[in-house]
Amino acid sequence: MTTTRNLLLRSTLFHTPIHCSINSHFTTNSHTLDSMFTRLLSSSSSKFIHKNPNSPFNFRPIFPLISSLNSPITVFAMAGKDQTFTTSTSGQQSDQNKHTNRLASEHSPYLLQHAHNPVNWYPWGEEAFEQARKRDVPIFLSIGYSTCHWCHVMEVESFEDDGVAKLLNDWFVSIKVDREERPDVDKVYMTYVQALYGGGGWPLSVFLSPDLKPLMGGTYFPRDDKYGRPGFKTVLRKVKEAWESKKDVLVKSGTFAIEQLSEALSASAISDKLSVGLAQSALLECTKALAQSYDPKFGGFGSAPKFPRPSEPQSMIYQSKKLEESGKTGEAEEYLKMVSFSLQCMARGGVHDHVGGGFHRYSVDECWHVPHFEKMLYDQGQLANVYLDVFSITKDVFYSCVARDILDYLRRDMIGPNGEIFSAEDADSAESENSKKKKEGAFYVWSNSEVDDIVGDHATQFKEHYYVKKSGNCDLSQMSDPHNEFEGKNVLIERNSASVMASKFGMPLENYHEILGLSRKKLFDARSKRPRPHLDDKVIVSWNGLAISSFARASKILKNEPDGTKFNFPVAGTNPEDYMEVAKRALSFIKENLYDQQSQRLQHSFRNGPSKAPGFLDDYAFLIFGLLDVYEYGGEISWLSWAVELQETQDEVFLDKTGGGYFNTTGEDESVLLRVKEDHDGAEPSGNSVSAMNLARLASMFTGARSDRYKQNAEHLLAVFEKRLKEAPVAVPLMCCAADMLAVPSKKQVVLVGKKASPEMEHMLVSVHASYDPNKTVIHIDPNEDEEIGFWEEKNPNVAAMAKNNVVAEKAVALVCRDFACKAPVTDPRSLEALLLKGKA
């Protein structure tokens, strides 16, 4: 018999992809839900229901049915889009005079979207829990985020409906949670749904006991029964009946599920470091698996829907560098080609916003054409870094321009007045000012006649370049628009290179690029008059950390663009040094608004004030990662000092000092039932993967007991996930890189000595970052700055000594070292570049 623990290990430590637009809904027409839980936790049966051929949806079964149930549970995932699902722009306003609930006093944009539903929503907290205990009724927990399309759909269909609201208000205590504000709560119940049902997504809909144990759950439920399947109202009735007749068994089942999840997800290491050779073999097997999943026609790794999972190309680039260093240039070039072609296809596809810059969440088809249109900050920061990496290797300005495109989009549309970087833009918006409905992609798509009217004289060239057609262009794949949602509309995509098209039209390439840029600017100005998608102006520390990293790195890497490089809209042609100022302003906002100097702890997010949620592991790890990049790419010593301080807090609050690795939460909130050690590198990297990288970098920067402690914590962390690295390394590509970084026998440091604000130091910083080398640590020190000398005397006396012994008037000195044993100093930036490229450290 399959034990629950084995079930969880098989289906939870796994990480099935979850996202907003592939939504599963779990429904039951059985009044014996206790049988469901009892049999589910012990059964390995796997009979499946097939899709209804009369349904317009593509249903994918993801839940093993329990064959002995009289009325089987059915669970489906819904893929694709349906043009009938539009969301209201006026319903919320019209309801404001009729209904106001407790969410009206919250700060989260997502919670405020539901503040005038007839549902008597509570925020997550003791008031709601006490009410459920007092009434002895289940809790209905709904989790989503403000830019989630299907969350909007379920709100319009169910939560704005007076009939559904009455059922919820009479039979349940209803709680609404913003997953971006409370990822810890979301993690508990998403893990439960994934473990028991095999998949998940948002909106997440879970029924809980008053003591917060999960009873059953799913994601999107339609309001009414359809296609022979129960809708949300039926589910509510069945849960109520089960609670009244089988409450004790339901609660016992939920308690058991949480106990087993807790055991499975809080793994401890059996050793204090990885087995010999595993670090290298894990990276090798990970990148081999990615290479096997590579799409040579359209780029990317895997099939549609295609997500730009940045840790995948990052690991391929890292392995390419290793192969090159070991003399396997053919394999190295092949891996790099896979990444570079994928990045080209993404940048030319509709998943890239050609008019306004930045990238949408993912592509629903295999050719990166029709996207799910929301824009997330965590994508922008990570993708900018991948494009910067490939530019630093190839020196092809195609990649640097795409990095600029992303960063300029963030500067223009996603940064607040005090330097804070906002979270996301919605996929849905009104088609016109007078429209009462929102529709996905309305802000971004174009009709043929709109392009003619707006672009004018160059419309013919522009339309051919971007595949604009009168009938609409979402016809490149059967998956692009299966329900004709975008009939007559065009999602811009480049099917041929600019050089090919310029030749076809008989004009110089530079002139052709200029025409395209001017045309995009015209469309941008016209688009700016459309109703904008909702902006989630919440500031999340972890996501800011990812963006801060890319802004800091761009400030030096982009200075290696050839002189005279031309930029066209939406690329602004910014002085790269301005990007560093963006990074510093974002850091200053976080330090001033989300950091307690006395306790040295972070808060998770900010909107009209700090959130109630404390900082989570990802907030510390991603922010430290950004701080290290700000320092290494030229920032002040104060940023490095803060990174060290935050690492100490992270170790104190999140580190499992006995079992190794980091928990995702502090464990101080009793309402959060699971404390998890995450490893999966998905749309965002895991906090443990990033922490392993941070520790490897810090260990290379310092010496003595401090360096040893960082290294030991990193080794112990990796040992926690040895099974994963051995059996499924492709699930943790960034952790594979971190493991290899830590296993490098001697660490390379480049120490720059000179006056910080001088042109000479700036030229050295540009040169040291001119080539891609993830195993290089950059330290810069001004021997005339007492704060810097004091910092290094305490934490690495070698650096302080180098500063005092290598002062050259009007020059910056570079020392290339291995474990701080250094070669002869150089004072010429070109000599430093040559030394680093030849690997003569």
Side-chain angles (χ1 to χ4, degrees):
M1 184 175 69
T2 303
T3 65
T4 303
R5 178 168 173 78
N6 288 337
L7 171 67
L8 296 174
L9 289 173
R10 185 177 67 244
S11 61
T12 305
L13 306 180
F14 52 1
H15 298 279
T16 304
I18 49 177
H19 37 86
C20 178
S21 72
I22 294 184
N23 296 273
S24 53
H25 62 278
F26 312 119
T27 64
T28 176
N29 54 9
S30 171
H31 63 277
T32 57
L33 288 177
D34 56 315
S35 177
M36 173 190 81
F37 282 100
T38 304
R39 293 300 300 273
L40 175 63
L41 292 173
S42 62
S43 173
S44 60
S45 61
S46 57
K47 187 190 297 181
F48 292 95
I49 282 187
H50 298 285
K51 68 179 181 179
N52 182 346
N54 298 318
S55 168
F57 304 113
N58 175 23
F59 287 105
R60 175 175 59 88
I62 58 177
F63 179 77
L65 300 179
I66 310 307
S67 58
S68 64
L69 289 176
N70 294 327
S71 301
I73 301 157
T74 57
V75 185
F76 301 90
M78 187 186 307
K81 303 178 180 180
D82 187 324
Q83 62 186 8
T84 64
F85 284 125
T86 55
T87 54
S88 172
T89 61
S90 59
Q92 190 177 48
Q93 294 175 351
S94 65
D95 281 347
Q96 283 181 357
N97 295 327
K98 291 175 59 179
H99 306 287
T100 299
N101 57 52
R102 289 168 177 79
L103 301 185
S105 61
E106 295 296 306
H107 292 169
S108 157
Y110 178 64
L111 300 190
L112 291 172
Q113 287 173 353
H114 295 265
H116 300 287
N117 295 162
V119 177
N120 185 22
W121 292 114
Y122 287 78
W124 183 264
E126 184 55 37
E127 183 185 8
F129 311 152
E130 174 59 29
Q131 190 64 212
R133 291 192 295 266
K134 181 179 178 180
R135 291 175 53 194
D136 190 26
V137 295
I139 291 168
F140 170 64
L141 174 63
S142 176
I143 303 178
Y145 54 101
S146 72
T147 59
C148 167
H149 172 73
W150 288 95
C151 300
H152 302 329
V153 172
M154 193 164 179
E155 179 188 15
V156 170
E157 290 183 339
S158 294
F159 303 145
E160 292 180 353
D161 181 88
D162 288 333
V164 172
K166 186 175 189 322
L167 299 182
L168 284 168
N169 296 339
D170 288 350
W171 298 342
F172 302 90
V173 169
S174 298
I175 298 178
K176 181 63 75 170
V177 166
D178 182 342
R179 69 164 294 261
E180 295 171 355
E181 190 174 65
R182 293 301 304 260
D184 54 339
V185 176
D186 176 66
K187 182 66 181 178
V188 172
Y189 300 107
M190 182 62 76
T191 300
Y192 165 78
V193 167
Q194 285 182 296
L196 296 189
Y197 303 113
W202 296 281
L204 184 65
S205 304
V206 188
F207 296 91
L208 315 178
S209 63
D211 64 351
L212 309 180
K213 304 299 191 303
L215 308 178
M216 67 161 288
T219 60
Y220 163 77
F221 293 90
R223 181 186 61 185
D224 299 309
D225 301 354
K226 57 176 64 176
Y227 314 117
R229 297 169 184 134
F232 190 45
K233 290 190 291 185
T234 299
V235 172
L236 294 178
R237 291 190 183 97
K238 295 301 180 183
V239 174
K240 172 183 178 290
E241 292 169 5
W243 180 257
E244 291 174 346
S245 62
K246 301 288 184 180
K247 176 171 60 177
D248 292 344
V249 179
L250 282 178
V251 172
K252 183 178 179 181
S253 297
T255 300
F256 183 64
I258 287 295
E259 289 172 352
Q260 295 301 302
L261 286 169
S262 180
E263 180 185 349
L265 295 173
S266 57
S268 295
I270 59 175
S271 173
D272 58 2
K273 60 178 63 177
L274 288 176
S275 300
V276 176
L278 181 56
Q280 296 82 1
S281 64
L283 179 64
L284 179 64
E285 293 305 315
C286 172
T287 51
K288 276 186 178 179
L290 289 173
Q292 289 170 0
S293 70
Y294 173 67
D295 180 349
K297 185 175 182 180
F298 296 112
F301 303 96
S303 56
K306 282 187 174 176
F307 288 80
R309 183 185 172 204
S311 60
E312 294 176 338
Q314 285 174 325
S315 66
M316 294 291 281
I317 296 168
Y318 185 100
Q319 178 68 352
S320 174
K321 173 73 171 176
K322 279 181 62 72
L323 290 167
E324 180 189 22
E325 290 175 343
S326 64
K328 299 177 180 179
T329 55
E331 289 181 62
E333 290 173 1
E334 188 63 27
Y335 275 27
L336 183 61
K337 181 181 176 182
M338 291 179 190
V339 173
S340 58
F341 182 66
S342 297
L343 295 183
Q344 290 172 27
C345 291
M346 287 169 55
R348 290 171 175 153
V351 73
H352 174 214
D353 180 3
H354 295 272
V355 170
F359 281 80
H360 300 294
R361 180 72 275 272
Y362 64 89
S363 171
V364 302
D365 53 45
E366 70 276 16
C367 46
W368 300 104
H369 183 201
V370 178
H372 177 49
F373 287 90
E374 68 181 321
K375 289 180 172 180
M376 308 300 295
L377 177 59
Y378 56 75
D379 283 324
Q380 315 308 323
Q382 293 179 91
L383 286 173
N385 266 335
V386 176
Y387 280 95
L388 288 170
D389 285 342
V390 175
F391 168 71
S392 69
I393 296 168
T394 65
K395 299 299 185 284
D396 185 339
V397 295
F398 174 88
Y399 303 102
S400 66
C401 283
V402 178
R404 283 178 173 272
D405 167 292
I406 297 168
L407 299 177
D408 290 345
Y409 154 67
L410 292 178
R411 291 186 72 199
R412 185 182 63 245
D413 291 343
M414 297 292 285
I415 295 182
N418 297 308
E420 68 274 31
I421 310 178
F422 300 140
S423 296
E425 288 192 294
D426 203 346
D428 301 1
S429 60
E431 293 188 275
S432 66
E433 289 293 344
N434 299 321
S435 175
K436 295 183 178 180
K437 298 289 184 182
K438 289 184 178 182
K439 189 173 181 181
E440 179 167 10
F443 185 71
Y444 299 101
V445 298
W446 304 93
S447 68
N448 183 74
S449 59
E450 284 175 323
V451 175
D452 282 334
D453 294 342
I454 295 166
V455 174
D457 293 342
H458 298 295
T460 298
Q461 292 99 319
F462 186 89
K463 288 195 298 181
E464 186 160 354
H465 184 87
Y466 285 107
Y467 189 57
V468 175
K469 303 193 300 180
K470 187 175 182 179
S471 59
N473 73 352
C474 300
D475 55 6
L476 295 178
S477 166
Q478 292 181 343
M479 302 182 72
S480 297
D481 189 24
H483 309 299
N484 299 316
E485 184 177 355
F486 297 118
E487 186 174 4
K489 300 294 185 180
N490 294 272
V491 177
L492 302 185
I493 181 173
E494 297 178 276
R495 301 188 68 198
N496 293 292
S497 69
S499 58
V500 168
M501 297 303 291
S503 177
K504 178 176 180 178
F505 289 113
M507 62 177 66
L509 181 59
E510 185 174 317
N511 290 0
Y512 185 72
H513 275 301
E514 185 177 351
I515 287 170
L516 292 178
L518 292 171
S519 300
R520 290 191 296 264
K521 181 62 166 65
K522 290 180 179 179
L523 289 174
F524 176 85
D525 291 340
R527 195 175 81 173
S528 298
K529 299 173 184 176
R530 293 175 173 178
R532 288 194 67 89
H534 160 73
L535 170 67
D536 189 328
D537 56 359
K538 182 167 67 269
V539 180
I540 298 174
V541 171
S542 58
W543 297 0
N544 269 247
L546 295 173
I548 286 165
S549 165
S550 62
F551 276 111
R553 297 182 73 238
S555 71
K556 297 298 179 287
I557 292 173
L558 294 178
K559 286 195 173 183
N560 289 287
E561 291 171 321
D563 292 339
T565 300
K566 302 278 185 172
F567 304 106
N568 295 288
F569 192 84
V571 175
T574 301
N575 180 342
E577 201 55 44
D578 292 348
Y579 291 133
M580 179 62 85
E581 293 309 308
V582 174
K584 291 179 182 179
R585 287 193 73 210
L587 285 174
S588 295
F589 180 89
I590 292 169
K591 194 164 190 179
E592 291 169 12
N593 295 279
L594 288 165
Y595 185 64
D596 185 319
Q597 299 276 1
Q598 185 172 354
S599 68
Q600 299 185 347
R601 289 201 184 190
L602 292 165
Q603 294 297 110
H604 171 62
S605 63
F606 182 98
R607 187 178 187 272
N608 298 328
S611 67
K612 300 172 187 175
F616 303 110
L617 172 62
D618 287 3
D619 296 310
Y620 286 84
F622 296 6
L623 185 59
I624 291 167
F625 190 83
L627 282 163
L628 292 177
D629 280 336
V630 167
Y631 172 73
E632 288 201 48
Y633 284 78
E636 293 78 8
I637 195 71
S638 59
W639 301 122
L640 177 58
S641 180
W642 192 24
V644 171
E645 191 174 282
L646 285 171
Q647 187 63 56
E648 290 174 357
T649 302
Q650 180 183 318
D651 291 348
E652 175 189 340
V653 175
F654 300 96
L655 181 65
D656 182 348
K657 296 177 177 62
T658 303
Y662 293 97
F663 292 105
N664 65 331
T665 67
T666 65
E668 296 167 353
D669 186 343
E670 293 182 357
S671 72
V672 180
L673 304 184
L674 289 179
R675 202 175 182 213
V676 177
K677 294 179 186 177
E678 295 188 75
D679 64 351
H680 178 61
D681 298 320
E684 303 167 58
S686 77
N688 274 297
S689 292
V690 175
S691 293
M693 281 196 153
N694 292 342
L695 291 168
R697 294 173 72 178
L698 288 166
S700 177
M701 196 169 280
F702 302 116
T703 56
R706 179 181 295 275
S707 177
D708 292 343
R709 184 174 70 251
Y710 290 142
K711 184 176 181 181
Q712 288 162 7
N713 285 344
E715 289 175 337
H716 203 186
L717 180 162
L718 293 168
V720 172
F721 305 107
E722 171 150 347
K723 183 179 176 67
R724 174 73 103 172
L725 288 163
K726 187 179 297 182
E727 297 181 358
V730 75
V732 289
L734 203 65
M735 187 174 287
C736 291
C737 295
D740 187 85
M741 287 174 66
L742 203 66
V744 172
S746 61
K747 309 301 181 185
K748 180 191 294 184
Q749 299 92 11
V750 181
V751 181
L752 307 178
V753 180
K755 187 177 180 180
K756 278 293 176 68
S758 67
E760 291 78 18
M761 178 63 84
E762 179 65 18
H763 293 153
M764 281 293 194
L765 283 166
V766 172
S767 292
V768 79
H769 293 296
S771 58
Y772 173 81
D773 185 353
N775 285 305
K776 169 185 65 192
T777 299
V778 177
I779 296 169
H780 48 90
I781 181 169
D782 188 334
N784 297 313
E785 290 289 336
D786 292 341
E787 180 187 0
E788 293 190 38
I789 293 293
F791 176 90
W792 289 110
E793 283 181 338
E794 177 189 351
K795 295 179 173 63
N796 187 346
N798 293 316
V799 174
M802 289 180 201
K804 294 173 183 177
N805 297 331
N806 289 279
V807 178
V808 178
E810 307 301 322
K811 294 280 187 180
V813 178
L815 299 103
V816 181
C817 316
R818 288 282 184 185
D819 293 335
F820 295 102
C822 306
K823 298 291 185 181
V826 296
T827 57
D828 176 55
R830 291 180 182 272
S831 299
L832 175 60
E833 283 186 46
L835 186 60
L836 292 172
L837 282 173
K838 292 176 182 177
K840 292 184 178 180

